[in-house]
Amino acid sequence: MLEGHTSLDSAEKGRLMAGTFELYEDRAGEHRFRLKAGNGQVIATSEGYSSKSAARNGIESVKTNAPDAEIVEI
């Protein structure tokens, strides 16, 4: 059971664990997104985009390409 979430059904628990993309406009007027883990912690942030649609394309790119992304130690 998720701590602090005693009455959630299995679909709600799965959604919380999957993570969430948040799309927002920053103070400079650029569109950005951040990826939050199921526990609310920010685990990735984007660059600034000139339009909301470009930021949405960035989200789709992460969703498409991240599963096969190579891990490189530097």
Side-chain angles (χ1 to χ4, degrees):
M1 186 176 310
L2 294 173
E3 185 177 322
H5 297 283
T6 56
S7 63
L8 298 178
D9 65 25
S10 61
E12 290 172 317
K13 288 177 184 176
R15 186 172 44 81
L16 284 173
M17 296 305 293
T20 304
F21 283 97
E22 294 183 341
L23 182 60
Y24 63 98
E25 188 173 329
D26 67 15
R27 290 183 184 139
E30 292 187 310
H31 299 275
R32 297 177 180 270
F33 65 86
R34 58 185 156 240
L35 174 59
K36 287 189 170 183
N39 66 1
Q41 181 178 353
V42 176
I43 56 175
T45 58
S46 76
E47 63 184 336
Y49 294 90
S50 59
S51 69
K52 187 184 290 188
S53 64
R56 286 186 179 275
N57 287 340
I59 290 170
E60 290 306 316
S61 178
V62 170
K63 290 167 77 174
T64 299
N65 295 306
D68 298 323
E70 182 179 356
I71 298 172
V72 179
E73 291 189 37
I74 54 173

